[in-house]
Every structure is written in C-alpha cells, then in structure tokens.
Amino acid sequence: MTARAYKPVKISDIRAYDIIRSPMVTEKSTMGSEHNQVTFKVAMDATKPEIKAAIEMLFKVKVTAVNTLRQSGKIKRFRGIKGKRPDYKKAMVSLAEGESIDVTTGI
C-alpha cells in the first residue's frame, strides 16, 4: 500500500501557531519517540497537510507521516454535578531519519 500524496500547503505563521496547540508528554507518547514520533494536541479543524506544513515550518524538520485522532472528552462528576471534559484532536507526527524535536523547550 502506498502513501497518499498530498499537495504542498501554504500556511501563515499565525495559522501554524493556531494549529499546533501543545506537545503531549504521556507514557504512550514517549514510547513513540523510540520510533521517531512526536505527539501534539492540534486544532480540531486542522487537516493532515496543514499539520505537516505547520510542524515543518515551526521546528524546521522533515515530516514523513501524520496520523490523527479525535479524542472525546470524558464525562466526570464533581459533587454530584455532571460535567464534561473538552474534546481534542491528537496528531502523531513521524519524522524523517535523523530528525528530532525537543518538546521540553519552547518555540
């Protein structure tokens, strides 16, 4: 199975910062770093080509693949009152061989 070829997308600096919300540092995302992957929270309306362009623009790295998923917020109770955590979108970004992003430092 071949990878789908996307047209290169042009985005502005402001849109790039809007797309990439924050890096996710969890146990599972650190296991992905062994396979040259980095996980980010991204905007709900962001597409894979936009995410790829934003990562390449902000971090000056070569991205080989972007996998996304929409995570529904959990329903929680606090003192008997029902509440819901917000939904968010995650992007697992695969980097080219030899590339890396240090998520512990700011941009």
Side-chain angles (χ1 to χ4, degrees):
M1 190 164 142
T2 60
R4 180 180 288 172
Y6 293 108
K7 294 180 196 172
V9 174
K10 298 274 188 185
I11 58 171
S12 66
D13 290 340
I14 296 168
R15 177 66 179 154
Y17 282 104
D18 284 343
I19 290 171
I20 307 300
R21 297 284 163 87
S22 66
M24 293 191 70
V25 183
T26 62
E27 193 172 345
K28 191 169 187 178
S29 68
T30 52
M31 289 188 331
S33 65
E34 296 172 4
H35 304 289
N36 222 12
Q37 285 186 335
V38 186
T39 305
F40 293 96
K41 275 189 182 178
V42 295
M44 290 290 277
D45 63 340
T47 63
K48 288 182 182 186
E50 285 180 334
I51 294 167
K52 180 179 179 178
I55 296 291
E56 288 179 347
M57 180 188 298
L58 296 176
F59 295 103
K60 309 288 189 263
V61 294
K62 179 72 177 133
V63 175
T64 57
V66 177
N67 296 328
T68 60
L69 66 92
R70 296 170 70 110
Q71 184 72 48
S72 303
K74 284 184 175 180
I75 294 176
K76 304 294 268 183
R77 289 184 181 273
F78 180 69
R79 295 186 178 175
I81 298 170
K82 226 168 146 179
K84 183 177 178 292
R85 290 184 184 166
D87 300 343
Y88 60 93
K89 189 173 191 175
K90 268 197 305 196
M92 285 73 70
V93 179
S94 299
L95 303 176
E97 198 64 38
E99 301 278 354
S100 66
I101 295 175
D102 187 12
V103 294
T104 59
T105 61
I107 303 177

